[in-house]
Amino acid sequence: MLRKVLLTGSVLALSSLAMADGLQSAASSAAISSNRANEGRYFYVAQNYQELAAVPSFTMSAPAGLVPGWGVVFGGVSGTHNSVENTDGALGFGLGYGNPYESLGGAVSLSIGSINPDDGGAFNRGDLNLSIGHTFREYGFGVAVGMTGGELWHDNNNGHDVDPSFYGAVTKLLPNDVVPVIVTAGLGNNAYADTNDTGDKKDKVYPFASVAAYIMPQVSLIADYTSGVTTLGVGIVPSPKLPITITLGAYDIAKQGNQDTTSFIGSLSAAYAF
């Protein structure tokens, strides 16, 4: 069952790789179990979740209520492409701390953008991201609060400081034998504000939500509503034995945002439990 894979003591869920530009929230997730790469094939179709070293993503832009703990390091790269701003990307890495199953755990990560030098220079932005939360193992339920976009450097912000974004999120597992589901919902400010909203956004809160359906152990279908726009995507684990997750999606499919365009977004993330 999906519940066992995500919530046994040897499994840690994480979500903390930032997308380029406005996507300050988590865009990729991976789950690490105690499974090790044994001898034999690396690429095959897993028949159950117990075979997996990683679980496909369950959010796109919404931050998750599940957090990692001490003993997990992770990293990844993400990108976005549309007809307005062309192509850009970001990379990120971090580590977990604490124990979310017994008390509190979370992650500290650094996201670096932009990969595209055309907007003022490559790697000209650096942000600190923090999360802290608790997982209620017996209920398949996690709750977390966090900060994204804590500015460390920003070379082309015209002298204006960028305020960090804060959020609170809950994630609930709905395991079943047909199509397991993971639901996430929460509230946040700044980067989680409606893209069409104007004025100061740090004193307002805005809703976000995400739902993922696992049509097979290595593939999830994701619907996400964050910052007033809808995103659809898919999470893929190419190899059951390797903790690598690919997430692909279409951001703002209904053209609800102020750019009036749909963007292709994608990320590649990996994690290691020591």
Side-chain angles (χ1 to χ4, degrees), residues 139 237 260:
Y139 301 111
V237 173
D260 193 30

Side-chain angles (χ1 to χ4, degrees), residues 88-216:
D88 203 356
L91 57 88
F93 55 88
L95 73 162
Y97 67 88
N99 188 328
Y101 302 103
E102 296 183 0
S103 55
L104 294 175
V108 180
S109 67
L110 173 67
S111 56
I112 303 173
S114 113
I115 292 176
N116 186 351
D118 293 340
D119 63 353
F123 311 117
N124 58 352
R125 301 189 303 273
D127 292 330
L128 178 69
N129 312 294
L130 301 170
S131 66
I132 182 171
H134 180 75
T135 300
F136 300 88
R137 188 199 317 260
E138 62 274 25
Y139 301 111
F141 179 80
V143 58
V145 295
M147 177 198 76
T148 60
E151 184 178 274
L152 298 178
W153 71 88
H154 196 160
D155 294 343
N156 63 340
N157 64 351
N158 298 319
H160 300 290
D161 293 332
V162 179
D163 292 323
S165 304
F166 297 92
Y167 68 86
V170 295
T171 295
K172 180 70 174 73
L173 280 68
L174 303 172
N176 60 76
D177 294 328
V178 182
V179 181
V181 172
I182 300 180
V183 178
T184 296
L187 297 170
N189 70 346
N190 282 337
Y192 306 104
D194 191 312
T195 59
N196 295 305
D197 201 1
T198 59
D200 193 350
K201 304 175 184 178
K202 65 181 179 181
D203 295 326
K204 302 178 183 179
V205 293
Y206 302 82
F208 57 79
S210 183
V211 59
Y214 287 77
I215 58 174
M216 58 186 295

